[in-house]
Amino acid sequence: MKVVNLKQAILQAWKERWSDYQWAINMKKFFPKGATWDILNLAEALLEQAMIGPSPNPLILSYLKYAISSQMVSYSSVLTAISKFDDFSRDLCVQALLDIMDMFCDRLSCHGKAEECIGLCRALLSALHWLLRCTAASAERLREGLEAGTPAAGEKQLAMCLQRLEKTLSSTKNRALLHIAKLEEASSWTAIEHCLLKLGEILANLSNPQLRSQAEQCGTLIRSIPTMLSVHSEQLHKTGFPTVHAVVLLEGTMNLTGETQPLVEQLMMVKRMQHIPTPLFVLEIWKACFVGLIESPEGTGELKWTAFTFLKIPQVLVKLKKYSHGDKDFTEDVSSAFEFLLKLTPLLDKADQRCNCDCTNFLLQECSKQGLLSEASTNNLMAKRKADREHAPQLKSDENANIQPNPGLILRAEPTVTNILKTMDADHSKSPEGLLGVLGHMLSGKSLDLLLAAAAATGKLKSFARKFINLNEFTTHRSEESTKAASVRALLFDISFLMLCHVAQTYGSEVILSESNTGGEVFFFETWMQTCMPEEGKILNPDHPCFRPDSTKVESLVALLNNSSEIKLVQMKWHEACLNISAAILEILNAWENGVLAFESIQKITDNIKGKVCSLAVCAVAWLVAHVRMLGLDEREKSLQMIRQLAGPLYSENTLQFYNERVVIMSSILEHMCADVLQQTATQIKFPSTGMDAMPYWNLLPPKRPIKEVLTDIFAKVLEKGWVDSRSIHIFDTLLHMGGVYWFCNNLIKELLKETRKEHTLRAVELLYSIFCLDMQQVTLVLLGHILPGLLTDSSKWHSLMDPPGTALAKLAVWCALSSYSSHKGQASSRQKKRQREDIEDYISLFPLDDMQPSKLMRLLSSNEEDANILSSPTDRSMSSSLSASQLHTVNMRDPLNRVLANLFLLISSILGSRTAGPHTQFVQWFMEDCVDCLEQGGRGSILQFMPFTTVSELVKVSAMSSPKVVLAITDLSLPLGRQVAAKAIAAL
């Protein structure tokens, strides 16, 4: 039906002076069902007729008000019609329009299709633009009126405009709809921003303070619309954050060589999830460093912690500074953190006593050097600590005066590392003696461990190791040489070999293997380490072909060891001797066991093996360790005796340079190699540990106790104490290795679900999250893919999901999911690479890709009884009940974590849509609340992209989740479909 006829009908009603309800009845007679009033543009037609004269037509306006009240016309059509009026000079018409807006602007709703809801968002945006233009016009007239001396009229209209603006914007629901509209129509939002600037300029000269403050308030509300999701309150009622403490301790104890960026991201994730204020966050990092220093075992452990605290953590803070919003703010926060730290006098005193120096002073200097503190703050803080130390007499005892403090040594070692790397870059063939002098200096005292710790903390250890691999390879290529050159070459080979073994045992073999040559050339040391070197969790086969090289070379080596008084150095191929020694030892062992060789001959042979180069002894013991594992109890004696013979130093005048220093490193290497086998065979071998530390954190589990008891005991102790110490971290790591990820995670979750006190469960969550950081990826897969679905689909377990343990588990699950999802694109850390990976196929069979073949999880779920949650518009109806943003972003579903998240959200959707409610429904609500609480924005890249769109309409039925901000947070607003879903859910609230 044409608009002309609609116009005629309105004119007829006016001529005959119909009342509003009479008009409505007659209109319905004139226009039979079919076309809706919005399609006929009724609201626009009524306004057009009402606004013809200088003042509005009251009768036609009454028809419009009746149409609005009786819902003949939608709010969006009325708002669109109003925003088309632009003659702001007609005061009475403008006031009439403002009155109409007043009827509904704070209670907008729409229960139609998704497109209609998006239409309401757009109409509200147009209306906001119209209101701002109207306000600007009124303010302009008021300014002109003031100049002319007639301010009253303009002031009244400006007040009305600002009142409507405030009423519209004070509703969170309206701001949420405007947020969606801004994403739909970026150009219209730009126009609003321009309008706001113009209005600000006009109102700046306004004399009425009440109107000016009202206008400023409206401006603030409009500017807050784009960022309405990123506002989080920080935790101010807590001062201790065990998660930050444990993450720092874990990194310092187990991952000194790790890159700083993943640690920075993990710490920022914890800060965001727990809403920790920056000063307390930095304070917690320092507290953990000091506790680590005090707890660290003597020797290498202590040096590692010193390097971590004084070299690595300042670098971490430099990167954290980039995440903060202003340099000045961050330096103030670091300064506040130090102010808090200085109040912890007993902690600082104990650290100073352990390190025999003023630790805080060293730290302040480093932070000042890195630009984390201003000079004034640094001096002020140093003075305060100096005054505090005056009251601690034990810090100034004479007996420690001669001991050089580690922090100073570590800070001096750092530039030395750079110099050594430069020296190692030179051509080795030109001055091998000079290079040997440098290496010899490195071996003295604790220099080597100092340099390695400094290199590890500053990310230079890999290039350090690479240089030594190149040096070791250089010594395998020999040319015509004198006796002196041969001894230098033997020493360079030996020292580089021992250093590399020591690095691999102290910092993990990944440091050496991770940067393998791209040219395809495989170096001797890398080959030997991968195939022949025993490591934790690596079982070697003593009969492997790598231990069975060329038999003629083996025979000549056996003859050389057995017959010579000592090995000749000239033209000696040390790498070949290292590869052949295992087969030679087997021959010698067989001869000894069969009585061909006497014990004296064995002593002579072992003296020959370790007499010139210690690396031969290391290679021999590496094979013997693998061999002993395969022997019966009564067959091991001679092999173990041979290890004893090789482990002790040779007391002879005729050894090469730096023999004692090399023996110290050799003993440490052999002790690490033999530890497992000696424990299994209950044997003791005395290693001459002169200067090197004993093995820290070794053999931590109590014998003859079930590991489940050990796990529950250690967790109970940690929970009671409220924080995780280094020893506990190592016990948890050992238990995780022994029991496997599922056993470890399942038993710890059972412990969490036993807790009944709220403060205990919250503490348990913080601690469990930090314990799970031992292997967050695998733990998350097990927790979200196996444990949670098991609890949510088995009604006999629902009672365990009651508050408080249920709330705690929901929080823990969200934290794990977010951490794993944000970091799983990066590389696993070195300590996680060692662990056996779960097979991706396990997750593919558990959660198949093919929708035609229902997954094991989805078969456990009853499908929705009704299909009421499918959106009602034609485009929505094609949307399957499991369509989620991740599918539209084409996320790789072959990734186990992505599949597990997608299936967990399908399960959540199913629970929300089912007719039976219970603790599991409540759990789902807590889970979603925590997702919203921890997320900045539910956009691309968040775990909520895996949630089916249909879940949104189910969630808003839960009272705690029925808020506009929640809907914005849980939907992916970067997608048109996401915006439609959000608009539909918010408009219906």
Side-chain angles (χ1 to χ4, degrees):
M1 208 168 267
K2 293 177 184 176
V3 177
V4 177
N5 295 346
L6 188 61
K7 191 175 171 184
Q8 284 170 352
I10 295 167
L11 288 172
Q12 188 181 344
W14 174 68
K15 281 175 190 167
E16 295 177 15
R17 298 291 187 273
W18 292 346
S19 64
D20 47 15
Y21 67 89
Q22 234 182 331
W23 166 80
I25 293 165
N26 289 335
M27 287 297 277
K28 282 171 187 172
K29 284 179 190 169
F30 288 156
F31 299 94
K33 282 183 181 177
T36 64
W37 297 112
D38 277 2
I39 290 174
L40 294 169
N41 276 341
L42 176 60
E44 199 175 320
L46 284 168
L47 267 183
E48 204 179 295
Q49 292 305 313
M51 299 290 163
I52 285 173
S55 63
N57 185 320
L59 186 63
I60 296 179
L61 276 186
S62 73
Y63 297 158
L64 178 58
K65 287 175 183 174
Y66 186 87
I68 293 168
S69 304
S70 61
Q71 296 187 350
M72 282 173 72
V73 290
S74 67
Y75 294 134
S76 57
S77 67
V78 179
L79 289 171
T80 307
I82 290 174
S83 61
K84 288 180 179 172
F85 182 84
D86 54 3
D87 188 356
F88 298 119
S89 60
R90 289 152 66 188
D91 290 359
L92 296 171
C93 290
V94 169
Q95 283 167 26
L97 293 175
L98 290 171
D99 285 339
I100 289 171
M101 278 191 83
D102 211 24
M103 289 173 66
F104 58 82
C105 68
D106 58 345
R107 51 188 179 83
L108 293 175
S109 63
C110 174
H111 297 274
K113 299 170 186 173
E115 290 92 335
E116 292 170 27
C117 300
I118 285 285
L120 176 61
C121 297
R122 289 183 165 138
L124 184 57
L125 192 67
S126 305
L128 175 65
H129 191 203
W130 181 83
L131 270 174
L132 285 171
R133 281 163 49 223
C134 185
T135 310
S138 309
E140 192 66 55
R141 284 185 61 200
L142 173 59
R143 195 167 68 178
E144 288 164 6
L146 283 169
E147 287 163 8
T150 54
E155 198 163 299
K156 183 188 171 193
Q157 189 161 317
L158 179 60
M160 278 180 79
C161 287
L162 287 172
Q163 202 182 340
R164 299 311 178 276
L165 256 178
E166 198 171 8
K167 192 173 178 182
T168 307
L169 292 166
S170 58
S171 149
T172 311
K173 179 175 174 178
N174 286 356
R175 293 203 303 279
L177 293 171
L178 286 165
H179 185 90
I180 295 169
K182 171 197 168 284
L183 297 169
E184 281 284 317
E185 296 187 357
S187 56
S188 304
W189 185 257
T190 313
I192 282 176
E193 286 175 330
H194 285 314
C195 218
L196 206 54
L197 285 170
K198 186 181 164 192
L199 183 61
E201 287 165 15
I202 298 169
L203 291 174
N205 308 317
L206 201 62
S207 57
N208 185 328
Q210 191 184 348
L211 288 178
R212 199 164 63 232
S213 78
Q214 204 175 0
E216 281 167 9
Q217 206 174 343
C218 291
T220 307
L221 282 170
I222 292 171
R223 286 186 196 96
S224 74
I225 288 169
T227 58
M228 67 186 292
L229 284 181
S230 54
V231 183
H232 280 302
S233 59
E234 291 187 328
Q235 283 199 37
L236 297 172
H237 59 282
K238 277 181 72 176
T239 53
F241 300 93
T243 314
V244 177
H245 190 102
V247 166
V248 174
L249 266 184
L250 182 71
E251 197 74 12
T253 310
M254 294 188 154
N255 200 24
L256 179 62
T257 53
E259 289 176 26
T260 50
Q261 192 56 35
L263 173 61
V264 169
E265 283 169 14
Q266 192 178 15
L267 285 169
M268 277 310 292
M269 174 65 75
V270 173
K271 182 180 187 293
R272 266 203 307 273
M273 291 190 305
Q274 298 187 17
H275 312 312
I276 307 172
T278 308
L280 295 181
F281 174 65
V282 177
L283 170 68
E284 199 63 52
I285 292 174
W286 289 134
K287 272 163 62 179
C289 286
F290 278 103
V291 170
L293 272 176
I294 294 163
E295 280 187 348
S296 61
E298 291 279 341
T300 316
E302 190 181 343
L303 292 178
K304 281 181 170 183
W305 259 109
T306 312
F308 181 74
T309 304
F310 295 93
L311 291 176
K312 191 167 185 175
I313 288 294
Q315 290 300 325
V316 167
L317 289 180
V318 168
K319 289 198 171 179
L320 285 170
K321 183 178 178 179
K322 290 174 187 165
Y323 285 83
S324 73
H325 297 299
D327 282 6
K328 189 165 179 285
D329 297 346
F330 192 76
T331 50
E332 283 169 14
D333 288 337
V334 172
S335 182
S336 307
F338 271 113
E339 292 279 2
F340 291 136
L341 185 67
L342 291 184
K343 289 174 184 162
L344 305 174
T345 314
L347 177 75
L348 300 184
D349 287 354
K350 197 149 175 114
D352 286 2
Q353 203 175 349
R354 175 76 201 266
C355 297
N356 189 32
C357 65
D358 183 350
C359 293
T360 320
N361 196 6
F362 278 116
L363 260 190
L364 289 167
Q365 283 175 12
E366 270 309 291
C367 289
S368 174
K369 206 192 294 178
Q370 300 291 350
L372 297 165
L373 280 173
S374 65
E375 200 173 326
S377 295
T378 310
N379 295 337
N380 174 29
L381 292 161
M382 279 179 178
K384 281 185 182 174
R385 178 63 189 146
K386 192 177 177 186
D388 261 1
R389 278 170 60 88
E390 295 299 321
H391 305 297
Q394 78 273 22
L395 297 182
K396 298 192 289 291
S397 64
D398 295 330
E399 63 191 70
N400 293 339
N402 302 325
I403 304 170
Q404 281 195 297
N406 283 336
L409 291 172
I410 279 284
L411 291 169
R412 286 209 298 279
E414 196 242 340
T416 314
V417 169
T418 316
N419 293 335
I420 289 173
L421 287 175
K422 282 181 190 162
T423 309
M424 300 283 290
D425 277 333
D427 184 352
H428 304 318
S429 58
K430 285 185 180 165
S431 61
E433 290 89 352
L435 183 58
L436 183 59
V438 173
L439 297 189
H441 184 66
M442 279 173 68
L443 294 181
S444 61
K446 57 181 179 183
S447 297
L448 179 60
D449 282 323
L450 268 169
L451 291 167
L452 292 180
T458 50
K460 293 178 184 145
L461 191 60
K462 283 182 182 176
S463 64
F464 206 79
R466 179 60 37 198
K467 301 270 191 291
F468 277 101
I469 288 175
N470 291 336
L471 172 63
N472 184 266
E473 194 64 20
F474 161 74
T475 60
T476 62
H477 306 295
R478 74 212 182 293
S479 54
E480 290 298 318
E481 59 184 356
S482 62
T483 314
K484 188 184 176 190
S487 70
V488 169
R489 186 170 64 83
L491 280 167
L492 289 177
F493 175 85
D494 201 37
I495 292 172
S496 56
F497 188 95
L498 293 171
M499 278 186 180
L500 287 166
C501 286
H502 184 58
V503 168
Q505 286 181 338
T506 314
Y507 294 99
S509 52
E510 304 75 25
V511 177
I512 288 166
L513 300 176
S514 56
E515 286 186 13
S516 53
N517 266 15
T518 46
E521 185 186 356
V522 182
F523 291 155
F524 154 71
F525 185 80
E526 286 179 293
T527 312
W528 180 83
M529 201 181 82
Q530 280 174 303
T531 51
C532 309
M533 182 170 166
E535 281 182 283
E536 185 191 358
K538 179 166 132 187
I539 305 296
L540 298 171
N541 171 10
D543 300 324
H544 190 275
C546 71
F547 293 121
R548 296 281 169 273
D550 184 347
S551 56
T552 54
K553 288 180 180 173
V554 173
E555 281 169 25
S556 60
L557 180 62
V558 172
L560 185 69
L561 293 172
N562 193 20
N563 302 331
S564 312
S565 55
E566 60 177 54
I567 294 178
K568 298 285 182 288
L569 303 176
V570 178
Q571 301 295 313
M572 181 69 182
K573 298 179 181 177
W574 293 111
H575 63 297
E576 284 187 7
C578 284
L579 291 172
N580 294 332
I581 192 84
S582 49
I585 290 285
L586 178 60
E587 297 287 329
I588 292 159
L589 258 182
N590 287 339
W592 186 17
E593 281 171 353
N594 293 320
V596 177
L597 287 175
F599 181 63
E600 290 71 29
S601 306
I602 298 298
Q603 274 184 313
K604 180 183 152 194
I605 289 170
T606 52
D607 285 352
N608 266 338
I609 290 174
K610 65 190 178 187
K612 296 294 182 191
V613 295
C614 299
S615 24
L616 272 183
V618 172
C619 295
V621 173
W623 179 80
L624 281 166
V625 164
H627 181 64
V628 169
R629 277 181 192 277
M630 304 298 168
L631 299 176
L633 266 175
D634 52 339
E635 300 169 311
R636 292 172 172 169
E637 192 191 336
K638 284 192 164 55
S639 300
L640 290 168
Q641 212 170 340
M642 195 172 251
I643 293 178
R644 272 194 199 91
Q645 288 296 318
L646 289 165
L650 176 69
Y651 299 103
S652 157
E653 297 296 313
N654 203 10
T655 52
L656 291 174
Q657 235 177 324
F658 312 120
Y659 186 68
N660 293 339
E661 290 89 342
R662 285 182 290 134
V663 165
V664 170
I665 300 179
M666 178 186 82
S667 299
S668 161
I669 293 166
L670 297 187
E671 187 175 1
H672 278 77
M673 272 186 181
C674 299
D676 268 349
V677 146
L678 297 182
Q679 187 186 12
Q680 286 160 11
T681 57
T683 312
Q684 285 198 327
I685 292 179
K686 184 82 183 85
F687 291 96
S689 53
T690 44
M692 285 284 173
D693 60 327
M695 292 173 64
Y697 306 121
W698 176 254
N699 204 5
L700 290 169
L701 297 188
K704 297 181 183 172
R705 270 193 78 193
I707 56 172
K708 187 178 175 189
E709 271 181 36
V710 179
L711 182 67
T712 50
D713 273 13
I714 191 78
F715 182 64
K717 281 177 190 162
V718 161
L719 190 57
E720 191 183 345
K721 200 161 42 168
W723 53 282
V724 189
D725 58 286
S726 328
R727 188 170 181 278
S728 307
I729 285 176
H730 279 272
I731 294 176
F732 281 122
D733 192 47
T734 311
L735 290 168
L736 176 55
H737 270 289
M738 290 180 94
V741 182
Y742 180 81
W743 173 88
F744 184 77
C745 184
N746 193 31
N747 282 307
L748 284 174
I749 296 297
K750 281 178 188 170
E751 292 305 303
L752 171 64
L753 294 177
K754 284 179 196 168
E755 290 298 331
T756 50
R757 290 174 57 186
K758 189 160 190 173
E759 61 274 25
H760 270 195
T761 56
L762 287 173
R763 189 193 293 172
V765 168
E766 293 188 325
L767 294 170
L768 278 175
Y769 171 82
S770 50
I771 292 163
F772 287 170
C773 285
L774 284 166
D775 196 349
M776 184 57 82
Q777 292 290 325
Q778 294 294 305
V779 168
T780 305
L781 288 175
V782 163
L783 178 61
L784 305 185
H786 298 273
I787 294 170
L788 277 191
L791 289 168
L792 291 171
T793 52
D794 183 349
S795 54
S796 66
K797 292 178 182 167
W798 286 351
H799 66 91
S800 63
L801 296 174
M802 305 278 271
D803 191 32
T807 337
L809 179 58
K811 191 181 283 296
L812 178 64
V814 170
W815 286 2
C816 290
L818 285 174
S819 298
S820 290
Y821 190 73
S822 68
S823 68
H824 88 301
K825 297 175 189 72
Q827 292 302 306
S829 77
S830 57
R831 65 171 187 274
Q832 291 171 7
K833 283 179 194 157
K834 287 180 189 171
R835 191 142 23 250
Q836 187 59 45
R837 300 290 80 190
E838 291 232 10
D839 191 351
I840 188 168
E841 295 305 320
D842 297 349
Y843 287 93
I844 289 178
S845 61
L846 184 64
F847 310 128
L849 278 168
D850 184 2
D851 287 338
M852 302 304 289
Q853 171 196 7
S855 71
K856 181 177 166 188
L857 173 67
M858 293 317 289
R859 284 199 298 274
L860 294 169
L861 313 177
S862 53
S863 58
N864 280 0
E865 290 90 341
E866 65 267 294
D867 225 3
N869 61 354
I870 289 190
L871 299 166
S872 50
S873 74
T875 53
D876 297 338
R877 211 170 291 121
S878 63
M879 189 169 85
S880 88
S881 59
S882 66
L883 181 66
S884 66
S886 60
Q887 284 156 281
L888 298 176
H889 287 312
T890 59
V891 168
N892 171 23
M893 292 310 284
R894 290 197 71 77
D895 181 282
L897 183 61
N898 292 348
R899 312 174 85 63
V900 164
L901 283 166
N903 277 275
L904 181 65
F905 278 109
L906 275 178
L907 172 55
I908 284 173
S909 187
S910 169
I911 289 169
L912 286 169
S914 72
R915 286 177 178 164
T916 49
H920 63 309
T921 324
Q922 183 72 60
F923 177 86
V924 164
Q925 181 193 319
W926 292 324
F927 182 88
M928 295 307 296
E929 280 173 3
D930 280 313
C931 282
V932 172
D933 185 47
C934 294
L935 287 173
E936 297 291 315
Q937 161 80 51
R940 186 168 192 166
S942 92
I943 59 169
L944 284 171
Q945 65 177 323
F946 294 98
M947 181 183 70
F949 286 119
T950 50
T951 311
V952 178
S953 54
E954 292 296 336
L955 261 180
V956 292
K957 294 174 189 171
V958 180
S959 59
M961 304 296 282
S962 59
S963 88
K965 275 192 176 184
V966 168
V967 176
L968 288 182
I970 61 179
T971 41
D972 187 343
L973 300 175
S974 65
L975 293 169
L977 187 53
R979 294 196 288 272
Q980 283 183 27
V981 169
K984 184 172 166 58
I986 293 169
L989 289 173

